[in-house]
Amino acid sequence: MKLYDYGAAPSPRRVRIFLAEKGLEIERIEVDLRTGQHLKPEFRALNPRGVVPVLQLDDGTCIDESIAICRYFEELQPEPPLMGTDAKSKAMVDSWVRHADFDGFLAVADAFRNSTPAFAKAGLPGADEPVPAIEALVDRGHASITRYFNRLNQRLAESSYLAGDSYTAADISALCVVDFAKWVKRTVPDTHTDLLRWYAEVSARPSASA
Ligand SMILES: N[C@@H](CCC(=O)N[C@@H](CS)C(=O)NCC(=O)O)C(=O)O
């Protein structure tokens, strides 16, 4: 089994933190996004979408999408549970993971890609033809980050962790987004005391540096 990874990117980081929390170590292969290794035919043969992470199983099957890779490991090794244990907690984890992906990650990605000269023709990840950046998506992305941070703070005022009383993949996902937001100079405002309390706690877990 091999994990195609890129140390600086937020999506593979979600998988690395998840594996660290499970106490699992697997072979990792660095795919250098800066030099476009992910767009080369060798990598597209593993993932035609041209994005990391990808988990390649021993039978050759390639699983893309970071949360799907997490799901695979959750099924292989259920302890400690990171994706819920019953109907309610599983649904809560799924819900907050999707908030992180759609309300958080995509907002930061829009703000970042559409404002960074190196991505002027790469407005979307992994595209095999030029995708022009769209300037209007920068402000929209920043506004969405603000809404996402507000929602996290509101939720964490009523709950220790995003999906409930225990740390889960929902927290891992949101942590990766909050750190990704630093790429566009957005940090948690001082007013968001509940989000800051949670952020300090989840960032202090040894897995956060995975
Ligand atoms: N939803 C996907 C997102 C994958 C993704 O966008 N990966 C980025 C790194 S975070 C990538 O490979 N980008 C390639 C590019 O920028 O062309 C997941 O969670 O795995």
Side-chain angles (χ1 to χ4, degrees), residues 116-137:
T116 305
F119 292 95
K121 291 189 178 148
L124 291 172
D128 50 11
E129 72 284 309
V131 176
I134 300 172
E135 207 184 322
L137 291 177

Side-chain angles (χ1 to χ4, degrees), residues 26-88:
I26 67 165
E27 183 184 351
R28 282 168 29 191
I29 295 174
E30 187 81 351
V31 180
D32 191 342
L33 302 189
R34 281 166 318 172
T35 58
Q37 269 185 21
H38 59 303
L39 305 175
K40 299 259 159 61
E42 298 76 21
F43 185 75
R44 285 212 194 266
L46 303 173
N47 183 7
R49 295 169 77 212
V51 295
V52 289
V54 172
L55 179 71
Q56 185 176 35
L57 306 184
D58 292 340
D59 71 358
T61 302
C62 288
I63 303 173
D64 73 329
E65 285 297 324
S66 52
I67 199 65
I69 297 171
C70 294
R71 164 60 61 199
Y72 180 76
F73 287 113
E74 181 82 358
E75 299 297 323
L76 276 190
Q77 183 185 302
E79 294 297 327
L82 293 173
M83 298 182 96
T85 52
D86 57 16
K88 184 172 94 171

